[in-house]
Amino acid sequence: MDGNGRWAQERNLRRHKGHIEGCETVKKIVNSAHNKEIAYLTLFAFSSENWKRPGFEVRFLMQLLERYLVDYGEELHQKNICLKTIGQIEAFPRAVQKNLKILKEKTQNNTGLILTFALNFGGRQEIFNAVKKLIKGIGLSQKFEDELNSKDFESFLESSYLPDMDLMIRTSGEQRLSNFLLWKMAYTELYFSPKYWPDFSENDFIEAIHWYQTRQRKFGGLDLKSTNPSPTKL
Ligand code: FPP
């Protein structure tokens, strides 16, 4: 959800106004994903590197998240949305942690959209933590080396309940992964929108999904429908 700051600066507004407007976009896109019966939506709301920002901006983002949870928690529940988080939320203020806990518990049995907020999340850290948990749980042994497969490893990831990511949308014209869900993104289709996140509309979201639907996903194999499978002489 990139470009809140630039959206504000281009309007001679302070950066936090961009985050407020960005929060409005969150509401619209969550709503749209719910209406379109999308199974999973994961929003990168605060990266493990975002602590490098000035303290007042970090505090403002936390407050905004808290307000969102208080004001929209019930609506999410009514829409049968299940809220989850990935990332080290222990570093967040107690009030935010409390509100997240309440809402996650309340919505845990909901069967609609699985909405994940990535908070204080980093893809590399997630993989590294999984390695540590795995070593702690199984220990490094010959058995470990012989029998462990990548599915076992995945079960140690915090995001293990998520399937591989189909589509990643990044706004604001930047074309980077920025330490998002690295393990889940091995075959993700990448969509870069030039629009700043506050300007990203429901139509833009649907356009991105339509673009995704035109992609041929081969996962390293061949699309046998459009390829002559018989070997050709060199
Ligand atoms: C990146 O844009 C955006 C963020 C670090 C914060 C995202 C937060 C929200 C959209 C609002 C709150 C979220 C929830 C889940 C309720 P940037 O500020 O780095 O933009 P810039 O690159 O233009 O400076």
Short mmCIF file of all heavy atoms in Angstrom, two decimals, residues 1-9 15 18-27 30 43-47 50 53 57 60-62 64-69 115-119 170-172 174 176 196-198, ligand 1:
data_model
loop_
_atom_site.label_atom_id
_atom_site.label_comp_id
_atom_site.label_asym_id
_atom_site.label_seq_id
_atom_site.Cartn_x
_atom_site.Cartn_y
_atom_site.Cartn_z
N MET A 1 0.87 -1.19 0.00
CA MET A 1 0.00 0.00 0.00
C MET A 1 0.90 1.23 0.00
O MET A 1 1.00 1.93 0.98
CB MET A 1 -0.90 -0.04 1.24
CG MET A 1 -1.78 -1.27 1.30
SD MET A 1 -3.00 -1.19 2.59
CE MET A 1 -2.03 -1.45 4.04
N ASP A 2 1.58 1.45 -1.13
CA ASP A 2 2.63 2.47 -1.16
C ASP A 2 2.14 3.79 -1.77
O ASP A 2 1.29 3.78 -2.66
CB ASP A 2 3.80 1.92 -2.00
CG ASP A 2 5.10 2.59 -1.66
OD1 ASP A 2 5.13 3.44 -0.74
OD2 ASP A 2 6.10 2.28 -2.32
N GLY A 3 2.71 4.87 -1.28
CA GLY A 3 2.45 6.18 -1.89
C GLY A 3 1.61 7.13 -1.06
O GLY A 3 1.27 8.21 -1.53
N ASN A 4 1.31 6.75 0.19
CA ASN A 4 0.51 7.66 1.03
C ASN A 4 1.22 9.00 1.23
O ASN A 4 0.61 10.06 1.15
CB ASN A 4 0.29 7.04 2.42
CG ASN A 4 -0.58 5.81 2.38
OD1 ASN A 4 -1.16 5.51 1.37
ND2 ASN A 4 -0.65 5.11 3.50
N GLY A 5 2.52 8.92 1.52
CA GLY A 5 3.31 10.13 1.79
C GLY A 5 3.35 11.04 0.58
O GLY A 5 3.10 12.26 0.68
N ARG A 6 3.64 10.46 -0.58
CA ARG A 6 3.73 11.28 -1.80
C ARG A 6 2.37 11.86 -2.19
O ARG A 6 2.28 12.99 -2.66
CB ARG A 6 4.31 10.45 -2.96
CG ARG A 6 5.82 10.35 -2.91
CD ARG A 6 6.34 9.27 -3.79
NE ARG A 6 6.12 7.96 -3.19
CZ ARG A 6 6.26 6.81 -3.83
NH1 ARG A 6 6.60 6.80 -5.10
NH2 ARG A 6 6.05 5.67 -3.20
N TRP A 7 1.33 11.10 -1.94
CA TRP A 7 -0.03 11.59 -2.23
C TRP A 7 -0.26 12.89 -1.43
O TRP A 7 -0.76 13.87 -1.96
CB TRP A 7 -1.06 10.53 -1.83
CG TRP A 7 -2.49 10.91 -2.08
CD1 TRP A 7 -3.21 10.65 -3.20
CD2 TRP A 7 -3.36 11.64 -1.19
NE1 TRP A 7 -4.48 11.16 -3.07
CE2 TRP A 7 -4.60 11.77 -1.86
CE3 TRP A 7 -3.21 12.18 0.08
CZ2 TRP A 7 -5.69 12.42 -1.28
CZ3 TRP A 7 -4.29 12.84 0.65
CH2 TRP A 7 -5.51 12.94 -0.02
N ALA A 8 0.14 12.87 -0.17
CA ALA A 8 -0.05 14.05 0.69
C ALA A 8 0.86 15.18 0.26
O ALA A 8 0.41 16.33 0.10
CB ALA A 8 0.21 13.66 2.15
N GLN A 9 2.13 14.87 0.04
CA GLN A 9 3.10 15.92 -0.31
C GLN A 9 2.70 16.65 -1.59
O GLN A 9 2.83 17.86 -1.68
CB GLN A 9 4.50 15.33 -0.43
CG GLN A 9 5.18 15.22 0.93
CD GLN A 9 6.28 14.16 1.01
OE1 GLN A 9 6.59 13.49 0.01
NE2 GLN A 9 6.86 13.99 2.18
N ARG A 15 2.22 14.32 5.84
CA ARG A 15 2.19 12.90 5.45
C ARG A 15 1.05 12.11 6.09
O ARG A 15 0.49 11.22 5.47
CB ARG A 15 3.53 12.23 5.82
CG ARG A 15 4.70 12.69 4.98
CD ARG A 15 5.97 12.00 5.44
NE ARG A 15 5.84 10.56 5.48
CZ ARG A 15 6.01 9.76 4.42
NH1 ARG A 15 6.35 10.28 3.26
NH2 ARG A 15 5.86 8.46 4.53
N GLY A 18 -2.05 11.58 4.20
CA GLY A 18 -1.97 10.51 3.20
C GLY A 18 -2.32 9.16 3.83
O GLY A 18 -3.00 8.34 3.21
N HIS A 19 -1.88 8.96 5.07
CA HIS A 19 -2.20 7.69 5.74
C HIS A 19 -3.70 7.62 6.04
O HIS A 19 -4.30 6.55 5.92
CB HIS A 19 -1.37 7.53 7.01
CG HIS A 19 0.10 7.40 6.76
ND1 HIS A 19 0.61 6.55 5.80
CD2 HIS A 19 1.19 8.00 7.33
CE1 HIS A 19 1.94 6.63 5.80
NE2 HIS A 19 2.30 7.51 6.71
N ILE A 20 -4.28 8.77 6.42
CA ILE A 20 -5.73 8.77 6.69
C ILE A 20 -6.48 8.38 5.42
O ILE A 20 -7.38 7.54 5.43
CB ILE A 20 -6.19 10.17 7.20
CG1 ILE A 20 -5.57 10.46 8.57
CG2 ILE A 20 -7.72 10.28 7.25
CD1 ILE A 20 -5.84 11.86 9.11
N GLU A 21 -6.08 8.99 4.31
CA GLU A 21 -6.73 8.69 3.03
C GLU A 21 -6.45 7.24 2.62
O GLU A 21 -7.33 6.57 2.07
CB GLU A 21 -6.19 9.68 1.98
CG GLU A 21 -7.14 10.05 0.89
CD GLU A 21 -8.50 10.55 1.34
OE1 GLU A 21 -8.59 11.28 2.35
OE2 GLU A 21 -9.49 10.19 0.65
N GLY A 22 -5.24 6.78 2.93
CA GLY A 22 -4.88 5.38 2.64
C GLY A 22 -5.77 4.42 3.39
O GLY A 22 -6.12 3.35 2.89
N CYS A 23 -6.14 4.81 4.59
CA CYS A 23 -7.03 3.97 5.40
C CYS A 23 -8.41 3.87 4.74
O CYS A 23 -9.05 2.81 4.80
CB CYS A 23 -7.12 4.59 6.80
SG CYS A 23 -7.63 3.42 8.02
N GLU A 24 -8.85 4.94 4.10
CA GLU A 24 -10.12 4.91 3.36
C GLU A 24 -10.03 3.89 2.23
O GLU A 24 -10.97 3.16 1.95
CB GLU A 24 -10.46 6.30 2.79
CG GLU A 24 -10.74 7.37 3.84
CD GLU A 24 -11.86 6.95 4.80
OE1 GLU A 24 -12.92 6.54 4.32
OE2 GLU A 24 -11.62 7.01 6.03
N THR A 25 -8.86 3.86 1.57
CA THR A 25 -8.67 2.89 0.48
C THR A 25 -8.71 1.47 1.03
O THR A 25 -9.26 0.57 0.39
CB THR A 25 -7.35 3.16 -0.28
OG1 THR A 25 -7.36 4.51 -0.72
CG2 THR A 25 -7.17 2.25 -1.47
N VAL A 26 -8.13 1.27 2.22
CA VAL A 26 -8.19 -0.07 2.84
C VAL A 26 -9.65 -0.51 2.95
O VAL A 26 -10.01 -1.62 2.55
CB VAL A 26 -7.51 -0.06 4.24
CG1 VAL A 26 -7.80 -1.37 4.99
CG2 VAL A 26 -6.01 0.16 4.12
N LYS A 27 -10.50 0.39 3.44
CA LYS A 27 -11.92 0.04 3.62
C LYS A 27 -12.54 -0.36 2.28
O LYS A 27 -13.25 -1.36 2.18
CB LYS A 27 -12.70 1.21 4.22
CG LYS A 27 -12.28 1.54 5.65
CD LYS A 27 -12.96 2.81 6.13
CE LYS A 27 -12.19 3.42 7.28
NZ LYS A 27 -12.57 4.80 7.59
N VAL A 30 -11.03 -3.78 0.96
CA VAL A 30 -11.51 -4.92 1.76
C VAL A 30 -12.95 -5.23 1.37
O VAL A 30 -13.33 -6.38 1.15
CB VAL A 30 -11.39 -4.62 3.28
CG1 VAL A 30 -12.13 -5.67 4.11
CG2 VAL A 30 -9.92 -4.56 3.70
N LEU A 43 -2.76 -7.50 3.45
CA LEU A 43 -2.33 -6.10 3.29
C LEU A 43 -1.07 -5.84 4.10
O LEU A 43 -1.01 -6.11 5.30
CB LEU A 43 -3.46 -5.16 3.78
CG LEU A 43 -4.77 -5.26 3.01
CD1 LEU A 43 -5.85 -4.38 3.66
CD2 LEU A 43 -4.60 -4.86 1.55
N PHE A 44 -0.06 -5.31 3.40
CA PHE A 44 1.22 -5.01 4.05
C PHE A 44 1.09 -3.62 4.67
O PHE A 44 1.32 -2.61 4.01
CB PHE A 44 2.33 -5.05 2.99
CG PHE A 44 3.71 -5.31 3.54
CD1 PHE A 44 3.93 -5.50 4.89
CD2 PHE A 44 4.79 -5.36 2.68
CE1 PHE A 44 5.22 -5.75 5.38
CE2 PHE A 44 6.08 -5.61 3.15
CZ PHE A 44 6.28 -5.80 4.50
N ALA A 45 0.72 -3.59 5.94
CA ALA A 45 0.39 -2.31 6.58
C ALA A 45 1.57 -1.69 7.31
O ALA A 45 1.63 -0.47 7.49
CB ALA A 45 -0.77 -2.52 7.56
N PHE A 46 2.51 -2.53 7.77
CA PHE A 46 3.67 -1.99 8.50
C PHE A 46 4.80 -3.02 8.41
O PHE A 46 4.67 -4.14 8.91
CB PHE A 46 3.29 -1.72 9.96
CG PHE A 46 4.29 -0.87 10.69
CD1 PHE A 46 4.19 0.52 10.66
CD2 PHE A 46 5.33 -1.45 11.41
CE1 PHE A 46 5.13 1.32 11.33
CE2 PHE A 46 6.26 -0.65 12.08
CZ PHE A 46 6.15 0.72 12.04
N SER A 47 5.89 -2.64 7.77
CA SER A 47 6.99 -3.59 7.59
C SER A 47 7.95 -3.50 8.78
O SER A 47 7.95 -2.51 9.52
CB SER A 47 7.74 -3.30 6.29
OG SER A 47 8.65 -2.25 6.48
N ASN A 50 9.74 -0.33 8.74
CA ASN A 50 9.04 0.96 8.91
C ASN A 50 9.35 1.65 10.24
O ASN A 50 9.03 2.83 10.42
CB ASN A 50 7.52 0.79 8.75
CG ASN A 50 7.08 0.62 7.31
OD1 ASN A 50 6.05 0.01 7.02
ND2 ASN A 50 7.85 1.16 6.36
N ARG A 53 11.12 5.12 10.41
CA ARG A 53 10.42 6.41 10.20
C ARG A 53 10.42 7.21 11.50
O ARG A 53 10.58 6.63 12.58
CB ARG A 53 8.99 6.14 9.76
CG ARG A 53 8.97 5.52 8.39
CD ARG A 53 7.59 5.13 7.97
NE ARG A 53 7.71 4.52 6.67
CZ ARG A 53 6.98 4.83 5.61
NH1 ARG A 53 6.01 5.70 5.71
NH2 ARG A 53 7.18 4.25 4.45
N GLU A 57 5.35 9.58 13.19
CA GLU A 57 4.65 8.92 12.08
C GLU A 57 4.30 7.48 12.45
O GLU A 57 3.18 7.00 12.16
CB GLU A 57 5.49 8.96 10.79
CG GLU A 57 4.74 8.33 9.63
CD GLU A 57 5.36 8.59 8.25
OE1 GLU A 57 6.06 9.61 8.09
OE2 GLU A 57 5.12 7.77 7.34
N PHE A 60 1.45 7.56 14.79
CA PHE A 60 0.21 7.90 14.09
C PHE A 60 -0.36 6.67 13.36
O PHE A 60 -1.57 6.42 13.40
CB PHE A 60 0.43 9.05 13.09
CG PHE A 60 -0.85 9.50 12.47
CD1 PHE A 60 -1.70 10.35 13.15
CD2 PHE A 60 -1.26 9.02 11.22
CE1 PHE A 60 -2.93 10.72 12.61
CE2 PHE A 60 -2.48 9.40 10.67
CZ PHE A 60 -3.30 10.26 11.37
N LEU A 61 0.52 5.90 12.72
CA LEU A 61 0.06 4.70 12.01
C LEU A 61 -0.58 3.70 12.97
O LEU A 61 -1.59 3.07 12.66
CB LEU A 61 1.23 4.05 11.26
CG LEU A 61 1.64 4.74 9.97
CD1 LEU A 61 2.98 4.22 9.46
CD2 LEU A 61 0.58 4.55 8.88
N MET A 62 0.01 3.59 14.17
CA MET A 62 -0.54 2.67 15.18
C MET A 62 -1.94 3.14 15.59
O MET A 62 -2.86 2.33 15.75
CB MET A 62 0.34 2.63 16.43
CG MET A 62 1.80 2.38 16.17
SD MET A 62 2.15 0.65 16.07
CE MET A 62 3.74 0.63 15.30
N LEU A 64 -3.96 4.96 13.91
CA LEU A 64 -4.89 4.80 12.79
C LEU A 64 -5.39 3.36 12.72
O LEU A 64 -6.59 3.11 12.50
CB LEU A 64 -4.15 5.17 11.50
CG LEU A 64 -4.96 5.52 10.28
CD1 LEU A 64 -5.90 6.67 10.54
CD2 LEU A 64 -4.02 5.88 9.11
N LEU A 65 -4.48 2.43 12.92
CA LEU A 65 -4.86 1.02 12.91
C LEU A 65 -5.84 0.73 14.05
O LEU A 65 -6.86 0.06 13.85
CB LEU A 65 -3.60 0.15 13.04
CG LEU A 65 -3.82 -1.35 13.21
CD1 LEU A 65 -4.48 -1.96 11.98
CD2 LEU A 65 -2.48 -2.07 13.47
N GLU A 66 -5.54 1.28 15.22
CA GLU A 66 -6.42 1.06 16.38
C GLU A 66 -7.83 1.60 16.10
O GLU A 66 -8.83 0.94 16.37
CB GLU A 66 -5.81 1.73 17.61
CG GLU A 66 -6.46 1.28 18.88
CD GLU A 66 -5.96 2.05 20.09
OE1 GLU A 66 -4.90 2.70 20.01
OE2 GLU A 66 -6.67 2.02 21.11
N ARG A 67 -7.86 2.82 15.54
CA ARG A 67 -9.16 3.42 15.21
C ARG A 67 -9.93 2.57 14.21
O ARG A 67 -11.11 2.35 14.33
CB ARG A 67 -8.90 4.84 14.66
CG ARG A 67 -10.05 5.74 14.50
CD ARG A 67 -10.22 6.80 15.57
NE ARG A 67 -10.29 6.37 16.95
CZ ARG A 67 -11.39 5.99 17.59
NH1 ARG A 67 -12.53 5.93 16.98
NH2 ARG A 67 -11.36 5.65 18.86
N TYR A 68 -9.19 2.08 13.22
CA TYR A 68 -9.83 1.24 12.20
C TYR A 68 -10.45 0.01 12.86
O TYR A 68 -11.59 -0.37 12.56
CB TYR A 68 -8.79 0.83 11.14
CG TYR A 68 -9.30 -0.18 10.14
CD1 TYR A 68 -9.97 0.22 8.99
CD2 TYR A 68 -9.11 -1.55 10.35
CE1 TYR A 68 -10.45 -0.71 8.08
CE2 TYR A 68 -9.59 -2.48 9.44
CZ TYR A 68 -10.26 -2.06 8.31
OH TYR A 68 -10.73 -2.99 7.41
N LEU A 69 -9.70 -0.61 13.77
CA LEU A 69 -10.19 -1.84 14.41
C LEU A 69 -11.43 -1.55 15.25
O LEU A 69 -12.40 -2.30 15.22
CB LEU A 69 -9.10 -2.45 15.30
CG LEU A 69 -7.82 -2.91 14.60
CD1 LEU A 69 -6.73 -3.25 15.62
CD2 LEU A 69 -8.09 -4.11 13.70
N LEU A 115 -8.80 -12.04 5.91
CA LEU A 115 -8.11 -10.76 5.77
C LEU A 115 -6.91 -10.76 6.72
O LEU A 115 -7.07 -10.86 7.93
CB LEU A 115 -9.08 -9.62 6.15
CG LEU A 115 -8.49 -8.22 6.26
CD1 LEU A 115 -7.96 -7.73 4.91
CD2 LEU A 115 -9.54 -7.24 6.79
N THR A 116 -5.72 -10.65 6.14
CA THR A 116 -4.51 -10.66 6.96
C THR A 116 -3.85 -9.29 6.91
O THR A 116 -3.61 -8.75 5.82
CB THR A 116 -3.51 -11.72 6.46
OG1 THR A 116 -4.14 -13.00 6.47
CG2 THR A 116 -2.26 -11.77 7.33
N PHE A 117 -3.56 -8.73 8.08
CA PHE A 117 -2.74 -7.53 8.14
C PHE A 117 -1.31 -7.97 8.46
O PHE A 117 -1.09 -8.64 9.47
CB PHE A 117 -3.22 -6.58 9.24
CG PHE A 117 -4.53 -5.87 8.93
CD1 PHE A 117 -5.35 -5.43 9.95
CD2 PHE A 117 -4.91 -5.62 7.63
CE1 PHE A 117 -6.55 -4.77 9.68
CE2 PHE A 117 -6.10 -4.95 7.33
CZ PHE A 117 -6.92 -4.53 8.36
N ALA A 118 -0.39 -7.61 7.58
CA ALA A 118 1.03 -7.86 7.87
C ALA A 118 1.52 -6.66 8.66
O ALA A 118 1.54 -5.54 8.17
CB ALA A 118 1.80 -8.04 6.57
N LEU A 119 1.87 -6.91 9.92
CA LEU A 119 2.21 -5.81 10.85
C LEU A 119 3.58 -6.09 11.48
O LEU A 119 3.75 -7.16 12.09
CB LEU A 119 1.16 -5.71 11.95
CG LEU A 119 -0.28 -5.41 11.49
CD1 LEU A 119 -1.26 -5.64 12.63
CD2 LEU A 119 -0.38 -3.97 11.00
N ARG A 170 1.32 -3.78 -6.14
CA ARG A 170 2.04 -2.71 -5.44
C ARG A 170 1.70 -1.40 -6.11
O ARG A 170 1.78 -1.28 -7.33
CB ARG A 170 3.55 -2.93 -5.47
CG ARG A 170 4.25 -1.81 -4.70
CD ARG A 170 5.71 -2.02 -4.49
NE ARG A 170 6.23 -0.97 -3.61
CZ ARG A 170 7.24 -1.09 -2.82
NH1 ARG A 170 7.89 -2.22 -2.75
NH2 ARG A 170 7.66 -0.07 -2.07
N THR A 171 1.33 -0.43 -5.31
CA THR A 171 0.96 0.88 -5.86
C THR A 171 2.15 1.84 -5.85
O THR A 171 3.20 1.53 -5.32
CB THR A 171 -0.21 1.48 -5.04
OG1 THR A 171 0.16 1.49 -3.66
CG2 THR A 171 -1.49 0.68 -5.24
N SER A 172 1.95 2.98 -6.46
CA SER A 172 2.87 4.14 -6.46
C SER A 172 4.02 4.05 -7.45
O SER A 172 4.93 4.86 -7.42
CB SER A 172 3.43 4.44 -5.05
OG SER A 172 4.64 3.74 -4.83
N GLU A 174 6.43 1.99 -7.68
CA GLU A 174 7.65 1.29 -7.25
C GLU A 174 7.55 -0.16 -7.68
O GLU A 174 6.47 -0.75 -7.62
CB GLU A 174 7.81 1.36 -5.73
CG GLU A 174 7.84 2.75 -5.14
CD GLU A 174 9.00 3.60 -5.62
OE1 GLU A 174 9.99 3.03 -6.16
OE2 GLU A 174 8.93 4.82 -5.49
N ARG A 176 9.25 -3.15 -6.53
CA ARG A 176 10.08 -3.93 -5.60
C ARG A 176 9.18 -4.84 -4.77
O ARG A 176 7.99 -4.55 -4.60
CB ARG A 176 10.78 -2.99 -4.60
CG ARG A 176 11.87 -2.14 -5.13
CD ARG A 176 12.56 -1.43 -3.96
NE ARG A 176 11.71 -0.43 -3.33
CZ ARG A 176 11.60 0.84 -3.73
NH1 ARG A 176 12.29 1.26 -4.76
NH2 ARG A 176 10.81 1.69 -3.08
N TYR A 196 -0.93 6.26 -6.56
CA TYR A 196 -0.64 6.22 -5.13
C TYR A 196 -1.78 5.47 -4.44
O TYR A 196 -2.93 5.53 -4.88
CB TYR A 196 -0.53 7.63 -4.56
CG TYR A 196 0.63 8.43 -5.10
CD1 TYR A 196 0.51 9.80 -5.38
CD2 TYR A 196 1.86 7.83 -5.33
CE1 TYR A 196 1.57 10.53 -5.87
CE2 TYR A 196 2.94 8.55 -5.82
CZ TYR A 196 2.79 9.90 -6.10
OH TYR A 196 3.84 10.62 -6.58
N TRP A 197 -1.46 4.82 -3.32
CA TRP A 197 -2.47 3.99 -2.63
C TRP A 197 -3.76 4.77 -2.34
O TRP A 197 -4.86 4.25 -2.58
CB TRP A 197 -1.86 3.37 -1.37
CG TRP A 197 -2.85 2.57 -0.58
CD1 TRP A 197 -3.36 2.89 0.64
CD2 TRP A 197 -3.47 1.32 -0.95
NE1 TRP A 197 -4.25 1.92 1.05
CE2 TRP A 197 -4.34 0.96 0.10
CE3 TRP A 197 -3.37 0.49 -2.07
CZ2 TRP A 197 -5.11 -0.22 0.07
CZ3 TRP A 197 -4.14 -0.68 -2.10
CH2 TRP A 197 -5.00 -1.01 -1.04
N PRO A 198 -3.71 6.02 -1.88
CA PRO A 198 -4.98 6.71 -1.61
C PRO A 198 -5.84 6.91 -2.86
O PRO A 198 -7.06 7.07 -2.75
CB PRO A 198 -4.53 8.07 -1.03
CG PRO A 198 -3.19 7.81 -0.47
CD PRO A 198 -2.56 6.81 -1.41
C1 FPP B 1 3.49 3.20 2.59
O1 FPP B 1 3.36 4.47 1.99
C2 FPP B 1 2.41 3.03 3.57
C3 FPP B 1 2.56 2.67 4.87
C4 FPP B 1 3.88 2.39 5.47
C5 FPP B 1 1.42 2.57 5.78
C6 FPP B 1 0.20 1.91 5.25
C7 FPP B 1 -0.93 2.22 6.14
C8 FPP B 1 -2.21 2.48 5.75
C9 FPP B 1 -2.63 2.37 4.36
C10 FPP B 1 -3.28 2.88 6.70
C11 FPP B 1 -3.57 2.02 7.90
C12 FPP B 1 -3.70 0.58 7.64
C13 FPP B 1 -4.67 -0.24 8.09
C14 FPP B 1 -4.48 -1.70 7.88
C15 FPP B 1 -5.92 0.19 8.76
P1 FPP B 1 4.47 5.58 2.27
O2 FPP B 1 4.05 6.39 3.43
O3 FPP B 1 5.81 4.94 2.39
O4 FPP B 1 4.38 6.45 0.99
P2 FPP B 1 5.59 7.24 0.28
O5 FPP B 1 6.51 6.19 -0.28
O6 FPP B 1 4.91 8.03 -0.77
O7 FPP B 1 6.25 8.10 1.33
#
